[in-house]
Amino acid sequence: MTSKIHVALCFDTNFWAPAYAVMRSICLSTSRRKELVFHLLHMPLTAEQRTDLEGIVGEFGSELAFYPLGEMDSFGDFVAGLPRSGRWPSVVYARLMLPDLLPQTVERVIYLDCDTLVRAPIEQLYAADLGGQPLGAVQEALSPFIPLRRDMRENADIFDGAEPYFNSGVLVIDLAQWRTLDMKAQIGALEASRVLSRLYFDQDMLNLIFRERWQALSWRWNTIDAHQAHEALNPAILHFTQASKPWHLTAGILHSTAYARWYRHVMTNKLFYRFAAHRRRRWLRRLLRLER
């Protein structure tokens, strides 16, 4: 009997196509496609967007599990009062609820941001030795700038710049250990200490909650700020944290975004250009102030 490989993504209606590309890149990079279970924590999707995502099942035989966050009172209660912005909507906090939302039989899960691209067998990451820790992650390339903020001293009373600080875009999570934590209470403690509004969203929260309780993974599993120069290093997971994303039409021409052409074909030309049209319509609605 083969074991399942569990992967979680969190996204809203504006990131359904990148979520599809992440899943398809995983399936193209492993021979264990039928053992994959994708847990999709999402805000409301259109029927067409859901059909796009379900294409993974038809092409590869993987399993999808949908979690409609907008219909869950528990999610609304959890994110109420947490910092957010246009770039960082409330759905980013869904990863903090994975221990509660995923079936209790799931003991380990890989979480991936939707601006990642997988190029190596995901089962290698899934089997990573966490050294008894509840979390595996890659050290943030921009530390200590991100935790300490302006002049690397703004949050010096919260973080120690000499301490390792991880990027939360790729996580290997021991759910059994996470379930022993009361995440809501942990965040409540941060709020009570009056530091919550000063944090860099969920990434800072996770670094504080799991301070000295995470296992460092190889940079190959989260190649941050992925540029074309990284292609020579054979990265396992690319993380497009820069402003230019691989789904931008000029990513591989005007910008040095790694594997831009490769990415377009992973998303498929049909969906790539339909997603581009979606983004143009959204830009126009924002310009006309019809959408925030």
Side-chain angles (χ1 to χ4, degrees), residues 6-292:
H6 296 274
V7 180
L9 306 175
C10 306
F11 57 96
D12 60 19
T13 188
N14 294 307
F15 276 84
W16 96 96
Y20 170 85
V22 174
M23 290 192 292
R24 194 161 186 263
S25 72
I26 292 172
C27 292
L28 289 168
S29 301
T30 180
S31 60
R32 296 176 61 181
R33 303 169 181 110
K34 294 185 178 180
E35 299 169 40
L36 291 165
V37 181
F38 293 105
H39 300 270
L40 306 182
L41 286 66
H42 63 89
M43 298 305 281
L45 300 170
T46 67
E48 183 179 43
Q49 290 168 349
R50 180 164 177 138
T51 297
D52 288 333
L53 295 166
E54 290 173 341
I56 294 294
V57 180
E59 184 175 6
F60 300 106
S62 306
E63 181 181 342
L64 303 187
F66 289 88
Y67 301 78
L69 299 172
E71 300 174 13
M72 299 178 182
D73 292 338
S74 58
F75 177 73
D77 293 341
F78 187 86
V79 301
L82 293 181
R84 68 191 73 181
S85 69
R87 184 181 178 188
W88 304 103
S90 61
V91 71
V92 302
Y93 297 110
R95 77 192 79 179
L96 303 180
M97 296 187 68
L98 285 170
D100 299 320
L101 297 181
L102 269 55
Q104 294 294 306
T105 53
V106 180
E107 297 182 350
R108 176 175 283 210
V109 67
I110 294 172
Y111 166 81
L112 296 173
D113 274 356
C114 288
D115 58 352
T116 58
L117 181 71
V118 178
R119 297 187 57 259
I122 199 69
E123 60 267 25
Q124 296 176 8
L125 178 59
Y126 196 73
D129 182 3
L130 300 186
Q133 302 289 12
L135 181 66
V138 174
Q139 186 161 337
E140 172 60 61
L142 291 179
S143 179
F145 170 68
I146 288 181
L148 294 183
R149 310 285 284 274
R150 188 183 298 274
D151 294 336
M152 299 193 211
R153 63 166 60 131
E154 189 172 291
N155 282 348
D157 58 322
I158 303 173
F159 294 98
D160 184 339
E163 288 185 353
Y165 176 95
F166 61 83
N167 180 278
S168 63
V170 178
L171 303 173
V172 183
I173 300 171
D174 182 329
L175 288 172
Q177 290 200 58
W178 272 46
R179 289 184 177 117
T180 65
L181 298 172
D182 185 338
M183 194 63 70
K184 185 69 174 177
Q186 295 279 345
I187 295 173
L190 294 177
E191 186 174 17
S193 64
R194 298 184 179 181
V195 302
L196 194 60
S197 62
R198 297 168 56 193
L199 300 183
Y200 185 65
F201 303 98
D202 63 303
Q203 181 164 289
D204 274 359
M205 293 179 192
L206 285 167
N207 270 276
L208 289 173
I209 293 169
F210 291 100
R211 176 176 263 164
E212 298 183 352
R213 291 190 295 171
W214 62 280
Q215 176 67 34
L217 304 176
S218 167
W219 65 269
R220 292 186 66 247
W221 291 112
N222 188 356
T223 307
I224 299 165
D225 197 14
H227 286 77
Q228 287 177 353
H230 288 114
E231 295 178 9
L233 302 176
N234 191 29
I237 296 180
L238 297 134
H239 192 179
F240 303 100
T241 52
Q242 71 272 26
S244 176
K245 303 296 185 182
W247 53 79
H248 294 166
L249 294 173
T250 60
I253 302 173
L254 301 181
H255 305 281
S256 64
T257 305
Y259 292 96
R261 185 178 179 187
W262 199 90
Y263 184 94
R264 173 165 58 86
H265 289 284
V266 171
M267 185 180 280
T268 73
N269 276 283
K270 180 180 178 181
L271 186 54
F272 182 87
Y273 289 110
R274 183 148 57 83
F275 183 51
H278 168 85
R279 289 188 291 105
R280 283 196 298 270
R281 288 193 299 270
R282 188 183 180 212
W283 173 83
L284 181 59
R285 289 181 61 84
R286 285 182 167 181
L287 185 65
L288 298 174
R289 298 187 177 180
L290 298 174
E291 182 178 327
R292 294 183 63 185

